[in-house]
Structure formats: structure tokens, C-alpha cells
Amino acid sequence: MKSISAKRLTIYVGEGVKWQGKALYHALVLKLKEAGLIGVTVSRGIEGYGKRNSIYAARILDLSYDLPVIVEAVDTPEKIASVLPQVQAIVSQGLITVSDVEMILPG
């Protein structure tokens, strides 16, 4: 297997946060795809809290909620660095992290 040094871009936002009329997480997926990143995954949290210290949780009796959503992309350091300013421009609520990772490629 081949190993490559890479960066992971992780963006934590609320499910209900919008950007130009779209869910922010969806707008991020479109922006990252447009930038040519290898792939993006969106995960919906079942419980969490953030800056406001309010706990958000998926409970059977909840009719509406703003659950945490995590958008993750892994690519070369150059690709992540090139897209980061665009991500920062549209994420006004949430948290953005970039970390070093090692990609293990099959074959």
C-alpha cells in the first residue's frame, strides 16, 4: 500500500445554518467539489454542544433541532491550503480545523 502525507479539513457547523439560501454543509460540499478536492464526507451528529454551551441532541420527541454536522475533506496540503480562504469566507458560525494526516492508498 502507498502512503501519502496529506491534510484533513474539518468544518463543524449547525445543521440549520444557511448560506445563500442553502444548508451551509451542502454549500460547502459544492464549494469543495468545485475546487477539485478528492472527496468530502458530511456526518450528522446525534448530540453535541458548541460555543453557546447549549446541548443539541436527536431525541425521539424532538420536532425540530439544530444538530451538529461535520464536513470533512482530505487532500494534498496544497489543495487544502488553496480552498481554505473560500471556506473561511462562507463559514461565519462554526469551527474550522486543519490537521496533518497520512493517506493510505490501496494498490
Side-chain angles (χ1 to χ4, degrees):
M1 293 210 183
K2 187 176 178 186
S3 172
I4 299 173
S5 292
K7 295 280 187 184
R8 176 178 48 221
L9 172 64
T10 307
I11 308 148
Y12 300 86
V13 296
E15 182 179 34
V17 177
K18 304 281 186 207
W19 185 76
Q20 294 186 345
K22 296 181 193 136
L24 177 58
Y25 66 86
H26 181 64
L28 287 164
V29 169
L30 296 176
K31 183 66 68 183
L32 297 172
K33 184 175 192 266
E34 180 183 296
L37 271 70
I38 292 171
V40 177
T41 300
V42 177
S43 303
R44 185 177 190 218
I46 59 169
E47 189 165 13
Y49 71 90
K51 187 175 170 182
R52 294 187 195 130
N53 235 5
S54 297
I55 293 181
Y56 301 97
R59 304 272 188 254
I60 196 114
L61 298 176
D62 289 343
L63 297 176
S64 67
Y65 36 80
D66 187 20
L67 292 173
V69 174
I70 302 165
V71 179
E72 286 187 308
V74 175
D75 211 310
T76 64
E78 298 78 21
K79 280 263 183 114
I80 296 296
S82 72
V83 77
L84 191 55
Q86 298 170 49
V87 169
Q88 289 174 301
I90 67 174
V91 177
S92 61
Q93 299 177 43
L95 174 66
I96 302 167
T97 66
V98 177
S99 53
D100 294 325
V101 294
E102 187 175 347
M103 286 195 293
I104 310 297
L105 304 174

